[in-house]
Each structure stands twice: as C-alpha cells, then as structure tokens.
Amino acid sequence: MTFRQFAFNNVLRNKRLYAAYFLSSLFTVMVFFTFAIFAFHPAFSGGDINSNALFGMAVAGGIIYIFSFFFVLYSMSAFLQSRKKEFGLLMMMGASTRQIRLMVFLENILIGFLATVGGILIGLVFAKVILLLAENVLIIDETLHFYFPTLAIIVTFVSFIILFLVISFFVSFILRTKKLIDLIKGDKQSKGEPKASVVLAVIAALLLIAGYGTAFYVKGLQVVVAMVPVIIVVILGTYLLFTQLSVYIIRRLKQNKTIFWQKTNMLLFSDLSFRMKDNARTFFMVAIISTVAFSAIGTLYGFQSYLTKGVKESSPYSLTYLPTHEAHEKDIKQDVEKMNGILQDEHVKTVMGKVQLRHYDLGINDRDILVASASDYNRLAKLKGETPVHPGKNEAIVVGQSVRVMEGTIEKENLMKSPIKLDDGQEIKPVKKIQTELFPIINGYYIVDDSVIEQLEKPVRSEPFYAWQADNGQTEQMIAAGRKISKEVGYPAQAIDYTVYEINKAYGPILFIGLFIGIVFFVSAGSFLYFRLYSDLDEDKRKFRSIAKMGLTEGELKKVVNRQTALMFFAPIVVALVHGAVALTALAHLFNYNLTTEAIFVLGGFALIQIIYFLIVRFFYIKQIKAAVY
Amino acid sequence: MLKLKNVGKVYEGKVAYRALTNIDLEVEKGEFVAIMGPSGSGKTTLLNIISTIDAPTTGSVTIEGKNPHALKKNDLAKFRRRELGFVFQDFNLLHTLTVEENIVLPLTLEGARVKEMKEKAARIANTLGIASILGKRTYEISGGQAQRVAIARAMIHEPKLLLADEPTGNLDSKASKDVMEMLASINEKEKTSLLMVTHDPQAASYSDRVVFIRDGKFHSEIYRGESRQAFYQKIIDMLSLMGGDDGDLSSVRV
C-alpha cells in the first residue's frame, strides 16, 4: 500500500462519510452544467435573444460559479471538521502536516473529478427537461431542440476542475494544525453554546425592528437609498438573532424547570443548546441565502406583473388605433381597412367602436381638455360591457384622473368644481364623477350630452380613436393578428395581447435566469440543513440507543426527532419568509404598486416546497434512527 | 533512553488545574515500565506528554538525548514515525483500511517499498498470530484481535519506545493475557523499551517496574523480583495502601 493507494482506499471504502460532500459537489456541478446547456444553446447564438440577455446570462453564470465555490468550500470544511480524529490519529503515527494535506488534496481531486463527471452525466439526462422548461418560461419562437452540448461540457469540466484544484489548495487554511490533543479529542468536544448576552440579544431585536421599520416607512425613490443600510442592519440583526437571542431564549427555557423537566423537553432543549454554535451559523446562512432567493424571485415576478398589468390597464381593448395628429383621413381609412382585413384573415371575431377625441381650451388647468359626447362614451362602454351614462342637457359627468397617474402630477384643480362655459353664457355643471379607463386619456375629462358638443366652439384638436374588442379565448389569434398589424400599420395600432407577448418575450430570459439562481440558492440552503442534520445522525443514533434502553417509546422518539428537525427546517425559513415579505413590501413602495398577490404566491410557494422537503427528510431520518435503535 | 525531569502540567481555564507536579522518571533501554494510579491521577496526561501529543508546562522530556517537544513540526512527525509506537485502549484502527493496511500504515507514511512492507507485515502478523485475518476489515475482527493488530501497527517500524495506554482496558481476561504476553515477549526479544499506563494489576505484573502516581505526583515504585505471582501480590498491596480496593481503584476521584 503506497501513500496514494492509502488516500484512495480511504475514500472508496468510506463512501457514506464522503457521500454528503460528494453529493453536494455533484449537485453544484449539475446546476452549473444545466445552466451552461441552456446558455450555450445554438438557438441563442443565432441572435434571437439580444446581447443584453446574453450578458445577463454570463453574469448569472458567474454568480452561480462564485456561489458554487463558497458552497463547495463550506461543505468541505464541514466535512473536514468531522474527520479531526482521523487526522489526529494519522499524525500520531507520524504523518507530517504535509502528508495530511497531500491526502486531503488527493481525496479532493478524486471526489472533485467524480463529482464533475457525474454532475455532467446527470445534467445530460435532465437536459431535455430543462430545455423544455426554459422553452415554456422563456417565450421563444423556435423550440429549443435537444443538442449535444460539447461546449457546455468543456466549459463545465474545465471550470470545475479548476474550482476543485483551487479549493484543494485552500485546505491548508482549513487544516491549520491545532494541538494534536485537540484533534484526537475533537469528536468528543462539544462546541457548545455561544456566549449569550442580554445586551446583544436586545441589540438583535432593535436592529431587526429598525431595519423593518425603515423598510416599511420609506416610499418611492427613498427605497433605493435606504436599501443597502437596511440590508446590512437586517443581516447583522439576523446573525445576532440566531447567535444571541435564540441562545438566550433556550437558556431561559432551561432554567425554567417546569418546562425543561417536562417529559421529553429535556432531551430536546439540552440537545439544542449543545449544538447551538453549529446550528446558529447554519441557521444564519440558510436564512440569508433563502431571503436572497425569495427576494430575487419575488422581485422579478412582481416586476413582470407590474409591466404586463400596466399595459393591460392602459388599454382595456384587444386592439386600438390612435392615429397621429398629422395623419390624413385617407391614410386612417386605409389603415382601419387593413386592420379589419387582418382580423378577418386570422378569424378573430371582434366588435369595433369609433369615437372622436375632441380637445377644447376651456381655461381650466392650463391645458386642453377632452370633452366626449355621451354617445361616443356609450359606444365604448358597450364594447367593454360597462354601464352607459346619460347626462342631462346642461349637465356634465367628470371622469377622474387615471389611477396610473404618478404621484406629484395630480391635477391642481378638480374638474368637479369647474363648470364648462358655453358661448351663450350657459354653464354646463358637473354633476357626478366616475372612474373609468375607456378613453386612452390619463387626465380627467368631461362627458356631455351630444347636443352640447354642437354648441361648443371648434375644438383645438380632434382625432379619431378606434377600438376593437375580441371575444374571449382568442389570445392566440390576436397575437398572430397583432404581429401582422404591428408590421403593416405600425405604432398607432396596438394589439394588447401581442404587446404583452412581446414584453414577456423580452423579459423571459431575465425571469428564467432569476428563477434559476433563486432556485439554486434555495436548494443549496436546503442542502446546508441536510448536512447539518446528517452530521448529527451518528450522534443521535448513539444517544437514542442509550435512551431507548432506559425506556423511550417509539412515539416519544418520533416526537423528539420531529420537533428537533422541524425547528431546524423552519426556524431559518420563517425568518427568511418574514425578511422576504418585508423586502417585497419595500419594493411595492418603490413602484407604488400592490404586490400582495405576487408576494403571497412566491413566498407561499417556497413555504410549501420547504414543508414537503421537511416531510421527506424527516421520514428518512426517523426511519434511520429507528432502524438503529429498535 | 527516556528521561523526564521535573515535568509539570497545568490546564489553563476558568480554574487552572494542576494535573502533574514535578514528575521525574527514567526508563532504561529495553525496560518495561508500567504506570499505575487511581482515576484522575494524571497517568494519561503523563503518557500524552511523553508521546508528544501534549506539551508539558514545565520540565523537560528527552528521548535518546533528544527533546521531541523542541522539534519542528515536520521533524516531530518524522520522529514519531521512526522512534515511537502507540497502542490505545480503544485500538484506534482506521476502519476504512484492512488489517494489513492498518499494520503497514506507519511504513506507508514513511514511503517504504511495497515489497518490504508486505514482508514485514507478514512476519509480524505471524509472530502475533493474526496472519489469517490480514485481509479482513477492522469491523470483522474481535477486540483481542484488534488490539493485536494495533500492536503490530505500533511495532512494524521497530520503534525504540512503545507507548501503551490501557492496552487491556477493553479486553476480557483471556485476551488481556494474550496481549500482555505478546508485549512482554516483544520487549524481551526486540529490546524495545515499553511504557504502559494501566489500571489492571494483572497487566502491570508483566512489567519490570511499576511506578505509582497519585494526584499528579510521584507516589512510589516497585521492582519485579523473580516471580510474577509475588510481584502481582505486591502491586495489589500497594494499590490498597494507596486507598483503593483490590479490584477497584475508582474510589479516589478528583
């Protein structure tokens, strides 16, 4: 047995110990590779996606790579910590530090190589699934066919071999040789509770309250300014929350004998405090990483809904046509005929309505104001199925400013207080105010009886507005028609389904990348928890075996393990969910747009995934412990 | 060959704890010395200091004229690898390796040739009666066998000093007897100096000299005369004198 054989045998014959580290490396490689398959797809180099999206993908690839680096580094150091005793033993037999480093280095190269190859192979198997998924999230005209990703394989392979090499060199730092006696007794020493001070616990609470308070308080562009300080404060607060506040609470619980000595509580709490130092660090990391994932995905999803909803609100019709002021009547007529022709070609059933937008100088609010005839208004109202209005001969109905108007541009003078003065001295009094988006006008306007229009002087400007409303369930046809119309008629015509489609198409890659990174973060947070749990498995087995001898029923065992795992899985996630909710609220304030539905959808989705993950892991964990105990 | 002068050890902490005070000890070449004492008397601390696992607070340790605690890290590794052998109470075999691989591990670290390692392993396995289990993994063998494997591992590189920490602590009386006879014969044939920490008067009676320590201080020592039986009786008497019962030394706890 040469030294190299020794190092290799050590890995190959001790699969279970290495499994967690290997799997996390494998997972990282797989994620990066699937991303590479997607990013290097020939359909993109063809140029359907703009250079911004490609740049975004490069950045995303970089983020995933850097994250992988730290993730693998963390997994490895956790793994090496659990092998202290082995290193101590080898050193007792005269292994020099250099030899131990060499051994770990060789192990890493072996694991790294296998993980890289394995990750690529598994990635290949799932490639088609990923491409299909990408096809649906991204709106791409051509399908993403399966291809053999030579370039992706090379890039992944080279990147990760380099990564593992670099990390192997890092081993020297992790293996700072401590005293031999500490190494040998390493597995018997508890890291125990971190010091808990009341002051720091209070500071933790204060930092979180301050961070949250600021996030809720700031509005509009202040959000951008406040963002970085709030993030720092909240991160600090979270760290102290887990290292101080939680320790403090557990201490208090342990001091209270009626709670601590209550049945299985003693087992649970003593265990918690025993592992608190490790747990606190894991909890903190998981909470922060999950928060990043939640916020990133929530932001992107919210932003998409903000964009598409904005478009849909600004124009409630399937198709609109608003010619420019200079357009000749002949051209307008031609355009409208063209559009009707296209709609017919695409077999879209529509109802058309035409109105005249007449603006008058009424001496109110320093601008020309639209005065619409009741019959025009009612025509559009009929298209959208809204209630028609019937103003009296000398009455006007005021339509308020659109809800889309930004704060700060709210009109100084309320139209309700300004009657329309006719030439003959007669006054048309506003009688009521309604809110509607039927006309493509964001400022307030009047609706009057048709007879009043004739009495008004010549309008300052007047242009026609055409609106088509398609029957429900014709989105596909409308997108097709919209594409043709935008080509042949151009800007004055807007088909809403097509516009939304275009926005989604442009936004798709960003959303996809965001989702991808978010999921990577979330899953790795999950695997941190998994490591934490499984590094305690042997200890738990030993503990429960000895307790079972004293008489612990299966039900009681389940209860203790259940609570222990539940706390582990949900303590950091609940914190992350709250952080995420606050972050999304701040974002909603920035855009002055209600994100509640989106936030509930995203955060609820993650919570659900976490619950399922918890149930699965708990099932296997309890099964393993039971197998060892009973 | 081993010389301890004024060795003391203080564990720092909230309350500093003095584990050893002014220990002087000398072991001749080829001598077999047992160290006995109640629990908490500092036996294992003393052994750890000699084996360079732990450093003394005061005093000096010299092995063959060299002070291992003054060596640089790499030289210390080489020193351990060449001059020292260890046997532990809980064997400390690497469960990833086979019996044979465990035995040759010190040579592997030294970078010896495979052929030479094979030969040496076969020879020592024959001597210790474990030739038939060389291909097995550590979890497939009994405690007595495991301790013999550990002794083989400690002996394969022909160290000058063999250190044993409760080598019979986890074994039944039959296995204990086998292991002790083996250690005694190695000591006799190879002229390896042997230093053993033990609770077990039976095990201690195989040595040439028993050193008793108590509360971290040297208490007394007795030499073996002609008969092992008489020596055993003397050890028992000394233990009773120190305050323990015949078989139970744990009444003095610190």
Side-chain angles (χ1 to χ4, degrees):
Chain A
M1 184 178 68
T2 61
F3 189 72
R4 207 176 322 123
Q5 280 173 326
F6 164 63
F8 275 61
N9 280 342
N10 216 8
V11 179
L12 295 179
R13 294 195 192 142
N14 204 358
K15 293 182 201 80
R16 232 197 97 235
L17 181 68
Y18 291 81
Y21 177 47
F22 175 72
L23 285 179
S24 65
S25 306
L26 186 86
F27 162 76
T28 330
V29 177
M30 198 180 81
V31 167
F32 184 82
F33 179 61
T34 41
F35 187 78
I37 290 184
F38 169 74
F40 290 119
H41 198 282
F44 296 137
S45 40
D48 188 53
I49 285 191
N50 59 30
S51 57
N52 280 339
L54 282 179
F55 176 71
M57 265 192 259
V59 171
I63 292 176
I64 295 182
Y65 189 69
I66 292 171
F67 185 73
S68 309
F69 182 83
F70 286 109
F71 182 59
V72 173
L73 195 66
Y74 175 82
S75 315
M76 190 188 60
S77 69
F79 170 59
L80 290 182
Q81 291 298 326
S82 68
R83 293 175 58 198
K84 269 187 189 162
K85 187 175 180 191
E86 185 192 337
F87 295 141
L89 211 60
L90 283 172
M91 284 172 84
M92 276 206 69
M93 276 186 280
S96 61
T97 327
R98 211 181 62 82
Q99 276 178 319
I100 288 187
R101 280 184 197 159
L102 179 70
M103 184 180 92
V104 177
F105 181 81
L106 287 174
E107 277 176 6
N108 256 297
I109 292 295
L110 182 71
I111 292 180
F113 181 77
L114 291 179
T116 309
V117 173
I120 288 176
L121 286 177
I122 296 176
L124 270 178
V125 174
F126 285 113
K128 184 62 198 166
V129 183
I130 292 288
L131 289 175
L132 267 177
L133 192 80
E135 220 174 279
N136 285 321
V137 178
L138 283 166
I139 295 163
I140 299 173
D141 293 335
E142 63 257 57
T143 53
L144 289 173
H145 57 276
F146 179 78
Y147 72 113
F148 193 76
T150 324
L151 188 58
I153 290 178
I154 295 172
V155 168
T156 310
F157 189 79
V158 171
S159 313
F160 273 87
I161 289 297
I162 291 175
L163 185 142
F164 280 111
L165 265 175
V166 172
I167 282 187
S168 307
F169 286 119
F170 264 83
V171 169
S172 319
F173 294 100
I174 294 171
L175 273 185
R176 279 184 303 263
T177 24
K178 298 179 188 114
K179 270 194 261 158
L180 195 43
I181 191 150
D182 294 335
L183 286 178
I184 287 180
K185 288 187 176 162
D187 58 340
K188 283 175 193 146
Q189 275 171 343
S190 140
K191 286 182 200 138
E193 293 182 26
K195 279 178 201 151
S197 89
V198 187
V199 181
L200 284 174
V202 171
I203 289 178
L206 286 180
L207 282 175
L208 285 178
I209 292 170
Y212 281 0
T214 320
F216 278 125
Y217 179 73
V218 290
K219 295 260 179 325
L221 286 175
Q222 292 171 315
V223 174
V224 182
V225 182
M227 195 160 74
V228 174
V230 166
I231 288 175
I232 292 172
V233 165
V234 169
I235 287 181
L236 268 176
T238 312
Y239 184 74
L240 290 179
L241 171 75
F242 286 124
T243 54
Q244 302 292 330
L245 203 54
S246 62
V247 174
Y248 183 71
I249 291 171
I250 289 175
R251 283 239 174 117
R252 290 307 295 268
L253 282 174
K254 275 175 82 172
Q255 277 164 15
N256 186 340
K257 294 271 186 281
T258 40
I259 296 176
F260 186 46
W261 285 9
Q262 164 89 41
K263 291 189 169 175
T264 48
N265 277 358
M266 188 141 95
L267 283 178
L268 182 69
F269 290 136
S270 66
D271 205 74
L272 271 180
S273 65
F274 186 74
R275 292 177 189 161
M276 206 50 221
K277 206 159 196 168
D278 288 329
N279 282 346
R281 218 175 299 151
T282 313
F283 284 4
F284 167 68
M285 227 156 19
V286 168
I288 294 301
I289 291 175
S290 308
T291 308
V292 172
F294 296 167
S295 314
I297 292 180
T299 306
L300 287 169
Y301 184 60
F303 207 63
Q304 190 202 26
S305 104
Y306 173 68
L307 283 178
T308 50
K309 216 177 198 171
V311 170
K312 276 188 181 149
E313 264 175 9
S314 73
S315 145
Y317 309 102
S318 309
L319 175 65
T320 56
Y321 179 69
L322 184 63
T324 49
H325 305 313
E326 300 89 44
H328 287 292
E329 232 168 274
K330 212 180 78 191
D331 295 336
I332 294 175
K333 219 176 155 191
Q334 206 183 343
D335 278 352
V336 171
E337 268 169 24
K338 224 187 268 173
M339 282 186 282
N340 276 328
I342 290 169
L343 287 174
Q344 220 159 27
D345 288 348
E346 295 292 336
H347 309 290
V348 198
K349 285 200 193 82
T350 53
V351 190
M352 190 189 82
K354 182 206 166 189
V355 296
Q356 201 66 27
L357 305 177
R358 300 182 187 86
H359 288 82
Y360 298 90
D361 182 5
L362 298 173
I364 308 167
N365 277 344
D366 308 327
R367 63 175 177 85
D368 301 333
I369 289 178
L370 173 77
V371 180
S373 72
S375 61
D376 273 359
Y377 179 87
N378 290 342
R379 212 171 300 134
L380 292 185
K382 203 178 157 204
L383 277 189
K384 291 302 297 175
E386 288 188 20
T387 24
V389 293
H390 301 288
K393 286 264 181 254
N394 43 16
E395 286 172 359
I397 292 173
V398 171
V399 176
Q401 264 190 318
S402 162
V403 284
R404 288 175 290 122
V405 169
M406 291 288 236
E407 274 175 79
T409 47
I410 290 169
E411 284 188 298
K412 283 169 275 170
E413 213 172 323
N414 196 332
L415 293 187
M416 276 305 280
K417 290 177 196 146
S418 323
I420 306 170
K421 293 187 187 78
L422 297 184
D423 284 351
D424 53 8
Q426 202 186 333
E427 279 196 354
I428 310 287
K429 287 223 174 72
V431 286
K432 64 172 178 175
K433 190 177 176 185
I434 56 171
Q435 204 60 48
T436 169
E437 301 284 339
L438 283 179
F439 278 61
I441 302 285
I442 57 168
N443 283 315
Y445 55 94
Y446 295 105
I447 306 166
V448 295
D449 189 68
D450 290 14
S451 60
V452 177
I453 297 288
E454 282 151 31
Q455 290 170 295
L456 283 164
E457 54 187 284
K458 203 171 168 292
V460 182
R461 57 194 162 88
S462 168
E463 65 252 359
F465 171 67
Y466 294 84
W468 287 261
Q469 184 61 36
D471 298 354
N472 282 335
Q474 300 189 97
T475 317
E476 289 295 315
Q477 291 100 306
M478 272 315 293
I479 291 174
R483 184 177 296 127
K484 276 191 194 164
I485 290 170
S486 83
K487 230 176 260 164
E488 292 184 26
V489 180
Y491 175 68
Q494 267 217 345
I496 186 70
D497 287 330
Y498 179 65
T499 313
V500 169
Y501 168 82
E502 281 286 309
I503 289 178
N504 283 342
K505 190 173 156 183
Y507 197 68
I510 302 170
L511 186 67
F512 182 74
I513 291 168
L515 264 178
F516 206 95
I517 294 184
I519 289 169
V520 166
F521 274 49
F522 185 61
V523 174
S524 40
S527 72
F528 279 146
L529 288 178
Y530 184 85
F531 284 152
R532 184 76 237 115
L533 193 67
Y534 271 80
S535 61
D536 294 334
L537 177 65
D538 283 333
E539 175 98 18
D540 269 356
K541 275 185 188 168
R542 214 172 308 145
K543 185 182 75 186
F544 284 115
R545 209 179 291 144
S546 52
I547 298 170
K549 281 175 190 152
M550 288 188 272
L552 184 79
T553 65
E554 253 185 78
E556 282 164 339
L557 177 126
K558 253 188 180 167
K559 203 167 102 187
V560 176
V561 176
N562 195 10
R563 287 191 185 165
Q564 199 176 307
T565 4
L567 207 70
M568 187 132 192
F569 271 72
F570 295 116
I573 290 298
V574 166
V575 171
L577 285 175
V578 175
H579 282 357
V582 173
L584 291 182
T585 313
L587 187 81
H589 286 166
L590 174 62
F591 290 108
N592 191 23
Y593 175 78
N594 193 352
L595 277 175
T596 318
T597 344
E598 288 80 5
I600 289 175
F601 184 75
V602 170
L603 297 180
F606 276 117
L608 189 72
I609 295 173
Q610 186 72 10
I611 289 171
I612 294 170
Y613 181 46
F614 163 69
L615 291 177
I616 295 172
V617 169
R618 187 189 63 173
F619 174 76
F620 285 108
Y621 196 75
I622 290 186
K623 203 172 139 189
Q624 287 225 35
I625 290 202
K626 269 209 252 167
V629 173
Y630 295 106
Chain B
M1 73 152 304
L2 169 71
K3 208 173 197 176
L4 268 69
K5 234 176 141 183
N6 266 335
V7 167
K9 177 74 185 175
V10 177
Y11 285 111
E12 302 291 345
K14 275 183 193 147
V15 182
Y17 167 65
R18 180 172 277 280
L20 287 177
T21 327
N22 296 340
I23 298 281
D24 288 300
L25 178 71
E26 230 171 291
V27 177
E28 297 302 320
K29 190 167 165 47
E31 198 183 6
F32 183 174
V33 177
I35 298 173
M36 295 194 81
S39 295
S41 60
K43 302 185 297 290
T44 303
T45 307
L46 183 63
L47 195 73
N48 281 345
I49 287 174
I50 295 170
S51 61
T52 70
I53 297 177
D54 211 348
T57 318
T58 56
S60 68
V61 178
T62 43
I63 301 178
E64 296 254 286
K66 269 185 270 180
N67 179 359
H69 293 286
L71 291 174
K72 285 209 185 93
K73 242 191 244 162
N74 275 335
D75 296 330
L76 182 61
K78 280 189 189 122
F79 179 78
R80 280 198 208 114
R81 194 193 289 166
R82 288 172 193 159
E83 319 278 340
L84 300 182
F86 299 94
V87 178
F88 305 88
Q89 177 175 6
D90 42 7
F91 323 135
N92 277 335
L93 299 174
L94 292 179
H95 62 277
T96 53
L97 303 178
T98 64
V99 166
E100 187 179 22
E101 285 163 349
N102 261 298
I103 294 176
V104 299
L105 193 57
L107 296 178
T108 299
L109 294 172
E110 185 70 26
R113 285 183 307 121
V114 176
K115 200 172 152 231
E116 181 197 330
M117 290 194 271
K118 279 256 174 214
E119 280 168 14
K120 280 192 176 170
R123 201 179 323 133
I124 199 156
N126 261 328
T127 327
L128 294 177
I130 45 174
S132 57
I133 55 162
L134 279 184
K136 289 199 174 169
R137 294 282 290 276
T138 53
Y139 45 79
E140 297 170 316
I141 61 179
S142 72
Q145 286 172 325
Q147 195 57 295
R148 276 183 277 170
V149 172
I151 292 172
R153 183 179 67 181
M155 292 302 304
I156 192 163
H157 53 299
E158 292 155 17
K160 299 205 177 77
L161 179 62
L162 184 64
L163 300 165
D165 187 3
E166 306 267 13
T168 59
N170 275 346
L171 302 178
D172 62 60
S173 55
K174 168 73 172 66
S176 297
K177 194 162 161 274
D178 290 349
V179 163
M180 285 320 298
E181 276 170 3
M182 222 143 279
L183 282 176
S185 85
I186 285 171
N187 168 248
E188 203 171 299
K189 282 185 200 148
E190 317 274 335
K191 296 290 168 226
T192 309
S193 313
L194 236 159
L195 188 68
M196 174 177 77
V197 161
T198 187
H199 261 133
D200 178 4
Q202 188 77 41
S205 68
Y206 284 88
S207 65
D208 302 326
R209 170 165 59 121
V210 180
V211 175
F212 294 90
I213 58 173
R214 184 174 166 180
D215 299 338
K217 289 180 194 130
F218 175 82
H219 182 269
S220 59
E221 59 182 348
I222 43 178
Y223 285 85
R224 176 177 171 180
E226 280 307 300
S227 141
R228 197 167 73 78
Q229 192 54 48
F231 191 40
Y232 174 73
Q233 203 50 57
K234 276 202 267 178
I235 295 170
I236 296 280
D237 293 345
M238 179 56 77
L239 289 175
S240 318
L241 186 71
M242 281 174 79
D245 294 334
D246 289 0
D248 175 22
L249 301 176
S250 54
S251 57
V252 184
R253 277 196 192 276
V254 179

